Amino acid sequence: MKIYKWMWALAIIIWFGACEEGSRFQTSGSDTTPPGKPTILRWEPLYGGARFFYKIPSDEDLLSVNAEYTNDKGKTFYFTSSFYTDSLDVVGLGNTDPKTIKLYSVDRAGNRSETVDVEIVPYESSITRVAKTLSVKSGFSSFLVDWQNELEQLINVYISFKYNDGGHPRDLVSVFSSNEMKERRFIENLNLPSTEPVEVSVRVEDHYGNSTENIPFGEIFLLEDEALDKTKWIIPNANDSTVTVNGKKINTGVPAMFGDNLEGRMTKLIDGIIDRGDNLNFFHTGSRGRTGFSRDGNMPWNIIIDLGDYYELSRVITVQRHTGGLANIERGQYYRAENCGEFRLYVFNDQTEQWDSISTQRTPIPQGVSDLQIVKLGEAGDMAYFYPDDPQYTRPTRWFRYEGLHCFDDNYSSTGANCMSELTLYGKKAK
């Protein structure tokens, strides 16, 4: 009996406590009494802002502590923190000039306390930090813009470029939004001769309306290349590890892959037809791609191609297996396990009689887009420069090697990639 009385008493205490806390949220139409103002204990600078530490007033109906500032364009931004916390972050300041931040309390009836003005000096903002890392480089019929955003705050990068298009001046702007730590964006398909300059400038903006000045990068000259003729190409038989140089057969120790399992065929890789819906145009390793023997496993497998002549290579475009239904609106296998996500590019060096490793890369998985957009990206193919950080041509070579390392699954660590639909190489004829 004593236990029940104790439990009943505890329930009454909890109920009264809840009522008392609930009174904090009760409003009265006649309440016009403002709450007390917060007591600012200290502030700490942030990148493009500041963090304020305070003691809340004792008002029972206190709802929040707020802050606001007005930027140079006359736009006011508001920040709020509930009465449960003792700090408030204010961000979005575009430079390191001293700023006055107004802080005040708000009660449940919407009454505001007196403001407390605090002058702060923030650290430099994300946009100025990003602007310092910008670089512009010439690419093949394109140019690329790199930047780093270590704060990973959402920014917009405005790339302005001017050039002469067959006697017609063009003045264009491309805008890219990102919060990635490292980013690279291409301005593609300009199709200009290498003698025609492109004038480039870039500015960075955040979503608070702050912007850097246009940063000029002067004139750049693009690199030229063209798609190689696939009719001259020869794909060795599976498990063949030899290449021929000037009539001499050289055993490289690297076996050509097996991809003729089920409906797949290696010849479909270079037939100019991509896999769409149910046309089944791809190679298939059957999980034994390295040599064709199950005991040797699947990945890494090696696509080896005799180009039929000597070329200086610039980039490669691969198209994945789709197999996503008749309507071509389903994602299917794009950027999934059946396809290769991590790879390494090689050319054969006649002088050393060995494969030269050029670069190891990953095909990024599209984020924040619809399945239909992924289908469009997949059909367009994924481009990789042989030298992604410093676009240039390879040494002259007749033999090309694409080593498939991992599929997309498990953060590019699985070895289940069985398929690829098409591979196209770009470059120029070696002199």
Side-chain angles (χ1 to χ4, degrees), residues 241-254 310 346-357 395-397 399 401:
S241 60
T242 63
V243 302
T244 303
V245 176
N246 297 322
K248 176 183 177 182
K249 276 192 172 294
I250 302 170
N251 189 338
T252 67
V254 179
Y310 281 81
Y346 297 82
V347 296
F348 193 74
N349 187 324
D350 288 4
Q351 296 179 351
T352 63
E353 298 187 350
Q354 293 181 341
W355 290 105
D356 283 350
S357 175
R395 66 179 300 113
T397 188
W399 292 85
R401 174 181 161 203

Side-chain angles (χ1 to χ4, degrees), residues 314-318 343 345 361 363 382-388:
S314 57
R315 51 188 170 133
V316 58
I317 295 179
T318 55
F343 56 92
L345 302 177
Q361 303 183 49
T363 300
D382 299 291
M383 181 184 69
Y385 281 27
F386 277 78
Y387 298 95

